[in-house]
Amino acid sequence: MRHPSDNGFAERRTAAAEAKRQLLAKFASAPKPTDPEMQEKLAAREAVAQAREARRAEREAQKQAEHDRILAEAAAVAAAAEQEQRAEAEARQAEIAERVSRVVADEAARKAERDRRYAARKARQR
């Protein structure tokens, strides 16, 4: 017993040919690139693409400006830190120099006091 949906080879072949004809008819009725409607769509796509490119370029410029600002800020912070370190080093050097001068002055004072006592002792012995 044959099913009504059981198509034979000839029926399948005619169905495939009909599908191809319908597909060709669809493409034949499609608008051509020279049609004003297609020209309008193409111009709209081009305008969208140009706007997109302009926005991308603007974003890139903003990113570059932000990057440059961050670099400048980091350079300023580094310069300030370096200046601060230099000032601290100079302050340490000045403190060390003052301590050394005090030690030298104290030694000179002790030596002068020792020499004075020695001279006084020699003067008493004579």
Side-chain angles (χ1 to χ4, degrees), residues 73-106:
E73 194 173 288
V77 168
E82 183 180 333
Q83 181 67 24
E84 184 177 331
Q85 286 177 345
R86 194 176 307 125
E88 287 177 3
E90 288 174 1
R92 278 194 303 270
Q93 290 295 331
E95 183 181 333
I96 290 170
E98 183 207 343
R99 197 176 310 152
V100 167
S101 66
R102 269 191 308 199
V103 168
V104 168
D106 288 348

Side-chain angles (χ1 to χ4, degrees), residues 31-49:
K32 305 290 184 250
T34 57
D35 288 344
E37 181 181 319
M38 288 300 290
Q39 294 290 333
E40 190 175 304
K41 284 184 180 180
L42 184 62
R45 285 184 190 150
E46 185 65 29
V48 168

Side-chain angles (χ1 to χ4, degrees), residues 1 7 20 32 37 56 58 72 75 77 96 108 111 117 120:
M1 176 170 242
N7 295 335
K20 285 181 184 177
K32 305 290 184 250
E37 181 181 319
R56 186 197 62 75
E58 184 178 342
V77 168
I96 290 170
K111 185 176 185 299
R117 284 192 315 249

